[in-house]
Amino acid sequence: MKIAYISTYPPRECGIATFNQNLMGAISANFPEKTTLLRGGFVVALTDSENIQEYEYPEEVKYVIRQDHQKDYIRAANYINTSDADVCIMEHEFGIYGGESGIYILPLINRLEKPLISILHTVLKSPSYVQRIIIREIAEQSSKIIVMSQRAVEFLTTIYDIPVENIQIIEHGVPDINATEQNPIKNLTIFRNHRVLLTFGLISRNKGLETVIRALPKIVETHPDVIYVVLGNTHPGVIKSSGEEYRDHLKSLATQLDVSKHLNFINKFVSEEELVNYLAAAEIYLTPYLNEAQITSGTLSYAVGAGAAVVSTPYWHATELLADNRGRLFDFRNADELAETVNELLDQKSLLNELRENAYGYGLHLRWPVIGAEYIKAAQEACATHDINDKILNNSIVDPEIMPKFSLSHILRLTDDTGIVQHAKYGIPNLKEGYCLDDNARALIMALMAYQQSKSKEAFELLPVYLSYIHYMQTEDGNFRNFLSFNRQYLDELGSEDSFGRTIWALGHSIGCAATNSYREFAMEIFQKSIPHFKSLTHLRGMANTIVGISLYLQVIPGDEGMVNELVKLTQPLIDGFEYNLSDDWQWFEEKMTYDNGILPLALLHSSEITGNEKAKQVALKAMAFLDKLTLSNGYLSPVGNNGWYCRGGSFPAFDQQAIETMAMVLMHFEAYQIFRKPKYIEKMFLCYKWFLGENTLRAPLYDHETKGCCDGLLPTGINRNQGAESTLAYLISHLTVLKAFELEYEYNKIAQFAETY
């Protein structure tokens, strides 16, 4: 039996990486004729780097997934499916996979043709909507769900509605080694002539190490030979965000309490052999975690397996593993209770020895070869019951393989420290034309979406540029100018209603998903200052853009009744316009279709989602159906051309087709799917997106693979080769919308398959 493992993997410093390596070894240990890990399986490793070569992986790693690259997951599924693996084992922790709460893993497991066993290292008691969906989908695609505690089973059955027969408990494995008789750790200066309290593992604030330090004064008052040793590096994620701030805080706290001589940090990652020796050399092992929401703790399992005397806070895993006098518990953050418990154990050697004996005896059945045998049995059962015909997913509605790699190259070329330049000659910025508010608002939306999608550093660094431009163009009374020359001179006193509305859209988006609190507060200030001008809007597209912005704002601040009233007022003119112009052969808001047409039904969909206005929803559906009939009936998108526009009773203009038309159609259909959950809207969304890639009237791609920009439109004579901000941003926003939709693939493909069956 050959196993494909999906997990992080050493040399990446990660608890799950170590677990997976140990599991591979444990399974191989049950087949003594297997001389290498490689013969027993291979690893598909998750990396947190853009560079696949960042880690020098061992030979068993055969494929690497970059955490934030959706295509890597699809290709990994294809790699596993075409391999000789019999079964797949996946380690699951929300943070090691890309997308919201690690949702990128779902397209991979949906495509797997091998039986899947999923090991859940985290089961949340209060999951978000997306987290609950992810776990339920993992359970549906897995032959078996493995957890490490009874509490996890309770959560999965009661909170996630997963059948208990699909769940199996296999406890966390521990090293199959004992401390050496001549333990070298006891000869270290900090251990010699000291009674050591020990904590090990990657350091971060949730570990609660400050509780131990606050307990030290009372402990050393009775036992002056005590020293507290913290063994382990600071968590790599913490290093990236705040360096050694937490470790420095702990040292400062120890100094304040006059116990700095009783605190020692060993800042290194140790082997299992060393770790067992450290545990054997310590008097007491401590896990002072700050809250109960810890369903599994590998460090705690290791301590029990090594026969350590453990004192812990009562988090979920500790209450189970330390039951039956295998350890002692003290309350969260209760330094006094911890000091009392430690002093009692240090005073009475018989109590310490009893805890050690009980822990060691229990730990024997946690040794890795024993645990490996249980996984082998689970894998054999999965293979025996697997039927590939039970897989729901056949072909995805969205094919990410045909999508170009997302790139901000052209946007960076067009953007300087003022903002994004309006126009380009071919792929070269045309500085003579300066800047406009429309494009900087769109650019802000795009940068926010890109940062949400992949935590793009480039996108994050663009956010203050576009926010600053918007702020610079706001007038004293809260309105906005639009145009700015290259030398930063205002070119108008008052911008268009379109530019106003697009700016409100961008600000609403920024308030809803800002990368930092300061950016959110900045956007909120500009937004609030602009509100008095909502009532002055008279053009439908200005209203529509503003409606989208207000709706995004209300998604995160739903209690703002004043803003709800503004939304209702702005929605009504769109409904009135539709009903006034309605006839058997014309279901549109005006006498003619002009530009950015999809924005009108899109706005009504957003409004109805917030207000529950059924009339707005029905009008949106009728207008969408009319627009789709006109533009998608040939099997590809042919949007209303700007060369004359489409008047009631007139001929349909095939050219000049603009990228913003396509973007509006992509956004409109995706919003329709989010409301109605009908896969046909995803199909239409992706069909519209493919206009950029060449599925259009001229069968010519507008996306330029060389510059990473988008051409400005389709002309009767060919492509407008200029690549300005509007068209490139329209492409990128459409691209990011499709990627966002792809995260929901597990859902809409399932719905589509069900509809075909019944």
Side-chain angles (χ1 to χ4, degrees), residues 118 120 123 135 139 142-158 160-170:
S118 296
L120 304 186
V123 181
I135 296 299
S142 301
S143 299
K144 186 70 70 174
I145 290 288
I146 305 295
V147 293
M148 302 177 200
S149 67
Q150 183 58 45
R151 183 64 64 95
V153 176
E154 293 171 11
F155 287 174
L156 289 176
T157 54
T158 60
Y160 299 84
D161 298 322
I162 295 171
V164 69
E165 59 269 21
N166 294 353
I167 308 167
Q168 181 177 348
I169 296 177
I170 302 179

Side-chain angles (χ1 to χ4, degrees), residues 509-530:
H509 197 128
S510 190
I511 292 165
C513 63
T516 68
N517 284 331
S518 62
Y519 290 172
R520 177 179 288 107
E521 291 165 3
F522 188 78
M524 178 69 83
E525 186 175 302
I526 301 172
F527 183 92
Q528 293 289 346
K529 192 175 180 180
S530 70

Side-chain angles (χ1 to χ4, degrees), residues 119-139:
I119 306 170
L120 304 186
H121 290 264
T122 296
V123 181
L124 299 174
K125 185 178 182 180
S126 301
S128 68
Y129 173 81
V130 172
Q131 288 165 341
R132 185 174 183 271
I133 286 292
I134 290 170
I135 296 299
R136 283 178 56 82
E137 187 63 20
I138 288 173

